[in-house]
C-alpha cells in the first residue's frame, strides 16, 4: 500500500489528533496544522518516536495569508498531498439565534466554512493536476437538520455538506475523491469550547449515554482513504448507538 502524505487541520486535539494517530498507525506521513505551536511540537515528538515522519505548520485556517504561505512554502518532498482532512472547526454557544453572539458567529463561519474553503483552494488544484487525491471534510449530523440552540453552527455544517457535494461534482472528471464524514455525539473538548470553558456544563452533554470517541471517527476516515481507487465513500453518518439524530438522544 502506497505511503500517503496526509494533511490534517486542527490536529492538536479531538478528532484531528485521533486522525493523526490513526493515519500514523497506517504508515502514512503527516502534515499537521493547528494554532498551538507548542502542542504541535509535542504531537510531532510523540508520533516520530513511533516512526512516523511529521511536518507541523502553526497557523489559523482563518488567516488566509498565513495559510497560503504555509502551503506554498512546503518542502519539495511534502508538496504532493494525497489526503486533505479538513477537520478544523468548532461550535460556540447554544443561545437562540436572536440572542446569539455576533463574535461567535464570525468565528464559526470563518473557521468551519471559510477555513475549509481556503484549505481546499490551496491543496486541491495539485490533486487535480496529478489526477489523484482525497478530501475528507469533517461535517456533522448537525448539518442534516437544525437542533435547539444549534442555529449558526448547524448552518455551517450544512454548508460543509453542500461544499463537499459541490466539490465532488467539480472533480468527477478526475480520480480525486471527496468524503463528507458526519459525526454525532463525540466526547472531545468540543463541548468545553462551545461553552467557553464551562467544564461542568460540557460534562452534562455526555451524561447518560456512551458517546463516540475521536478514534471512532478517525477509523472511518482511514477506511475511506484506503478504499479501492474505484470506490468513493461519499458520505458517512456516524452516531452513538443511543443517538438517532442531532436532536434525539436517549439517556439511561
Amino acid at each position: 500500500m502506497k505511503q500517503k502524505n496526509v494533511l490534517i487541520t486542527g490536529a492538536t486535539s479531538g478528532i484531528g489528533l485521533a486522525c493523526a494517530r490513526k493515519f500514523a498507525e497506517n504508515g502514512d506521513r503527516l502534515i499537521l496544522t493547528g494554532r498551538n505551536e507548542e502542542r504541535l511540537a509535542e504531537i510531532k515528538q510523540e508520533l516520530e518516536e513511533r516512526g512516523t515522519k511529521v511536518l507541523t505548520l502553526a497557523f489559523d485556517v482563518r488567516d488566509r495569508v498565513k495559510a497560503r504561505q504555509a502551503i506554498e512554502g512546503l518542502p519539495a518532498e511534502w508538496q504532493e498531498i494525497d489526503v486533505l482532512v479538513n477537520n478544523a472547526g468548532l461550535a460556540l454557544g447554544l443561545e437562540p439565534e436572536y440572542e446569539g453572539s455576533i463574535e461567535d458567529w464570525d468565528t464559526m463561519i470563518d473557521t468551519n466554512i471559510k477555513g475549509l474553503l481556503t484549505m481546499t483552494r490551496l491543496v486541491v488544484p495539485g490533486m487535480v493536476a496529478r489526477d489523484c487525491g482525497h478530501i475528507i471534510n469533517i461535517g456533522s449530523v448537525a448539518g442534516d437538520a437544525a437542533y435547539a440552540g444549534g442555529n449558526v453552527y448547524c448552518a455551517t455544517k450544512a454548508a460543509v455538506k453542500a461544499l463537499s457535494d459541490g466539490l465532488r461534482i467539480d472533480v468527477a472528471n478526475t480520480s480525486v475523491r471527496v468524503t463528507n464524514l458526519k459525526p454525532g455525539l463525540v466526547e472531545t473538548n468540543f463541548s468545553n469550547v462551545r461553552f467557553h470553558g464551562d467544564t461542568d456544563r460540557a460534562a452534562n452533554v455526555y451524561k447518560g449515554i456512551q458517546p463516540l470517541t475521536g478514534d471512532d471517527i478517525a477509523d472511518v476516515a482511514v477506511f475511506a482513504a484506503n478504499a479501492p481507487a474505484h470506490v468513493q465513500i461519499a458520505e458517512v453518518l456516524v452516531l452513538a448507538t443511543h443517538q438517532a439524530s442531532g436532536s434525539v438522544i436517549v439517556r439511561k
Side-chain angles (χ1 to χ4, degrees):
M1 188 176 294
K2 175 183 177 290
Q3 186 182 53
K4 301 181 183 69
N5 287 337
V6 181
L7 192 160
I8 304 168
T9 66
T12 57
S13 65
I15 293 172
L17 177 55
C19 283
R21 289 172 172 154
K22 291 289 184 177
F23 276 104
E25 290 174 9
N26 193 59
D28 296 315
R29 294 160 24 116
L30 304 178
I31 305 170
L32 305 180
T33 86
R35 294 175 295 171
N36 188 328
E37 190 167 5
E38 182 177 340
R39 182 66 181 129
L40 284 171
E42 293 171 356
I43 297 166
K44 176 182 172 72
Q45 180 178 349
E46 171 200 329
L47 296 177
E48 288 191 333
E49 286 175 353
R50 303 180 191 177
T52 302
K53 194 159 187 179
V54 179
L55 176 70
T56 60
L57 303 172
F59 66 89
D60 189 327
V61 294
R62 294 177 295 174
D63 189 330
R64 287 177 175 163
V65 172
K66 288 187 178 178
R68 179 176 294 279
Q69 290 171 344
I71 300 305
E72 292 182 350
L74 285 170
E77 65 177 305
W78 292 97
Q79 288 180 2
E80 291 192 3
I81 297 169
D82 299 294
V83 180
L84 167 63
V85 181
N86 274 318
N87 166 75
L90 75 168
L92 293 170
L94 268 177
E95 297 82 11
E97 190 170 321
Y98 58 87
E99 294 178 351
S101 162
I102 293 175
E103 290 76 16
D104 285 352
W105 295 350
D106 285 343
T107 300
M108 287 186 283
I109 291 168
D110 290 346
T111 305
N112 301 0
I113 302 176
K114 293 182 181 178
L116 179 147
L117 279 170
T118 294
M119 295 306 298
T120 300
R121 182 65 181 85
L122 291 172
V123 173
V124 175
M127 294 180 175
V128 171
R130 296 188 301 274
D131 194 32
C132 181
H134 195 154
I135 304 93
I136 300 175
N137 291 331
I138 304 300
S140 173
V141 63
D144 290 345
Y147 56 75
N151 44 74
V152 174
Y153 172 69
C154 294
T156 67
K157 290 303 183 177
V160 170
K161 173 176 170 52
L163 292 171
S164 299
D165 291 346
L167 180 60
R168 196 178 303 110
I169 293 167
D170 291 338
V171 299
N173 64 324
T174 76
S175 298
V176 177
R177 302 183 294 184
V178 181
T179 298
N180 181 20
L181 176 46
K182 307 186 300 184
L185 198 62
V186 183
E187 188 167 13
T188 63
N189 66 340
F190 175 88
S191 292
N192 193 271
V193 171
R194 163 167 258 171
F195 299 128
H196 299 280
D198 187 335
T199 54
D200 291 337
R201 191 178 180 193
N204 285 331
V205 173
Y206 309 106
K207 281 189 176 178
I209 186 172
Q210 182 175 346
L212 302 169
T213 68
D215 284 347
D216 296 326
I217 306 308
D219 283 337
V220 179
V222 173
F223 176 83
N226 288 281
H230 71 288
V231 177
Q232 179 170 214
I233 310 295
E235 187 168 288
V236 185
L237 174 63
V238 187
L239 302 175
T241 298
H242 296 293
Q243 178 176 16
S245 69
S247 57
V248 178
I249 299 171
V250 178
R251 302 179 189 273
K252 297 185 177 180

